[in-house]
Amino acid sequence: MRWIDTLESAAADKLPEAVHRYYRQGSAAGVSVGEATAAWSAYRFRPRVLNDVSGVDLGTTVLGTPVDAPVLVAPSTMQRMADPDGELAMARGVSAAGSVLGVSSNAGSTFAELGATGVPWWLQIYIVRNRDITRRMLDAAVAGGARAVVLTVDTPVVGRKEDEGETVWDLVKPGQLLANLPAGDWSDDDLAKADDLNPDAIGWLAERTGLPVVVKGVLRGDDAKRCADGGAAGIIVSNHGGRQLDGSIPTAQALPEVAEAVAGSNIEVYVDGGIRRGEHVLTALALGARAVFVGRPALWALTVGSADGVTRLLTDLAEELDHTMRLVGVPAPSSLTPDLVATRS
Ligand code: FNR
C-alpha cells in the first residue's frame, strides 16, 4: 500500500478519537469534504508523446520564494495535539523538503519560534472584530519573518461541526493553542471573526505589514477579480477543506473559472482541498495553479512521523508529480497547460 494512504489510519491509532475526528471532519453533513478528492480524480489526461522529458525539474517560486516542488503545507490549527512540538516540528519537516509553511493565526507556537526554525512561512490571519488584536498579531508575524499574509475569507462565522460526545476543545490544554494572541482582557466579541469585510481589507493588510497578501477561500471568478483589483498578490482557491460552507463546490471544479478570470494579471493562483496524489497536483497545475497546498495529510504525517514524516509526505508527492509529468510528456511545471486535462463526459 502507498505510504501516504496508510497515514490517516496510522494517525487514528495514535490520536485521541476526538482529535482524529477534529482533523478529519467537515462541517454540517460533510458533503464537501467527501467530494474533494473525487473531483480531482474525475479529470482525465491528454498526454503529449515524443516530448523530451529527460530533464524534469519541479523547482519553481511562490511569491518569489524558491521551492523544490509546487507542493506547500496549508495552515491548520491544533498541531500540538499531533506532536508535542506542534508547528515547530511541522516547520522543520517543511524546511527539509524545501517547501513553504502556512501558519495558522491560532498556532500553538510563537511567530518568533517559527521564524527561528528558518522555514519560509506565510501567516494565515483571521481579521477579528477588535482590530487592535489583529494589528498586534500582524506586527509580531512581521517581526518573526513572515513572507506573506494569507487572509482567510470563507469564515465570517465558523462552520458548524455536528459533534457528539468529547471534542477536541475538551482536550486542548492552555499553551497548545493561540500562542500569538496578544496579552489583554479580551471579550468573546473582541475575538469574534469580523463579518463585515470587503476588498479594502487587502490594502489594509498590505499597508500594515509591507507583505504580499494572499486571499484564501475564493471559489468564483468574479471574486478573484475583485481580489486582484483590491491589490492581492495571490489567491488560494479553497473551501477550507469542507470545514466551512458545506455543499460549496469542489475546488477542482472552481479552479478553471478562477484561473481564467485573473489570466493576464500578475496574481498567483493556488489551490487546496483533497489533493492526495501526484496526479492531482499535476491536474491543478495544468488548470492554472502555481502550487498546491495539502492540509490533512500533513497533520497525519506529523502525527505518525513528526518532522521526518512531513518531509517524507512532501518528497513522496513531489516524486509522484515528477513521475506523472514524464508520463504526461511535460518537463517543467510552467509548461503545464489546460489542454493536458479533459473533463470526463
Ligand atoms: C484547517 N484549515 C484552516 N484554514 C485556515 O485558513 N486557518 C486555520 O486555522 C485552519 N485550520 C484547520 C484545521 C484543520 C484540522 C484542518 C483539517 C484544516 C483549512 C486548511 O488550511 C486547508 O484549506 C484544507 O485543510 C485543505 O484541504 P485538505 O488538504 O485537508 O483536504
Side-chain angles (χ1 to χ4, degrees):
M1 194 183 196
R2 183 172 163 265
W3 182 73
I4 296 174
D5 290 332
T6 67
L7 289 175
E8 182 176 340
S9 75
D13 292 340
K14 291 187 78 172
L15 292 171
E17 190 277 332
V19 177
H20 185 261
R21 180 179 3 117
Y22 176 75
Y23 289 167
R24 192 196 61 230
Q25 71 189 161
S27 54
V31 171
S32 291
V33 71
E35 285 180 348
T37 297
W40 291 110
S41 296
Y43 283 99
R44 295 292 174 266
F45 295 116
R46 301 177 63 238
R48 292 181 189 283
V49 295
L50 298 175
N51 237 10
D52 181 355
V53 287
S54 55
V56 167
D57 182 357
L58 301 180
T60 184
T61 60
V62 288
L63 297 177
T65 296
V67 287
D68 289 358
V71 183
L72 321 178
V73 171
S76 64
T77 50
M78 297 280 184
Q79 295 185 9
R80 283 190 187 269
M81 307 300 263
D83 183 283
D85 282 349
E87 292 79 8
L88 302 182
M90 186 74 96
R92 289 192 289 270
V94 170
S95 188
S99 182
V100 161
L101 176 63
V103 173
S104 169
S105 45
N106 299 332
S109 308
T110 67
F111 299 146
E113 291 173 304
L114 272 156
T117 67
V119 74
W121 66 282
W122 294 359
L123 169 73
Q124 176 272 324
I125 194 99
Y126 293 114
I127 295 182
V128 294
R129 287 205 194 138
N130 183 331
R131 296 292 196 275
D132 199 37
I133 296 174
T134 304
R135 273 189 215 102
R136 286 160 67 182
M137 285 181 100
L138 292 168
D139 294 351
V142 170
R147 297 193 187 194
V149 178
V150 176
L151 172 65
T152 300
V153 293
D154 56 16
T155 310
V157 290
V158 177
R160 209 176 61 245
K161 314 289 186 318
E162 297 183 354
D163 276 318
E164 275 175 35
E166 188 176 54
T167 71
V168 74
W169 304 103
D170 300 319
L171 300 176
V172 68
K173 299 191 188 78
Q176 291 187 315
L177 202 64
L178 294 174
N180 298 286
L181 184 66
D185 189 14
W186 311 118
S187 67
D188 286 351
D189 192 58
D190 287 329
L191 293 166
K193 312 247 183 306
D195 56 3
D196 58 352
L197 297 181
N198 64 43
D200 293 346
I202 299 166
W204 180 73
L205 288 170
E207 203 170 300
R208 181 80 194 178
T209 61
L211 296 174
V213 176
V214 177
V215 183
K216 176 172 184 278
V218 174
L219 290 170
R220 301 170 52 108
D222 51 4
D223 278 346
K225 187 81 179 42
R226 287 167 71 221
C227 294
D229 293 346
I235 287 169
I236 306 178
V237 177
S238 174
N239 65 15
H240 213 117
R243 298 167 76 86
Q244 282 299 115
L245 174 64
D246 191 32
S248 52
I249 60 170
T251 53
Q253 197 181 327
L255 175 61
E257 173 185 323
V258 169
E260 197 181 325
V262 295
S265 74
N266 285 333
I267 204 161
E268 296 188 357
V269 176
Y270 311 101
V271 66
D272 73 18
I275 294 169
R276 304 291 180 262
R277 296 185 157 273
E279 289 85 352
H280 300 159
V281 182
L282 191 145
T283 301
L285 301 180
L287 294 176
R290 188 168 183 95
V292 306
F293 287 84
V294 289
R296 294 178 184 84
L299 290 169
W300 307 139
L302 180 68
T303 305
V304 171
S306 196
D308 289 346
V310 174
T311 305
R312 179 168 174 194
L313 168 73
L314 294 171
T315 50
D316 277 11
L317 284 171
E319 267 172 37
E320 284 188 9
L321 174 61
D322 179 298
H323 181 83
T324 312
M325 300 242 312
R326 288 172 205 271
L327 290 172
V328 163
V330 176
S334 57
S335 309
L336 291 166
T337 44
D339 55 282
L340 292 162
V341 292
T343 43
R344 200 173 43 158
S345 54

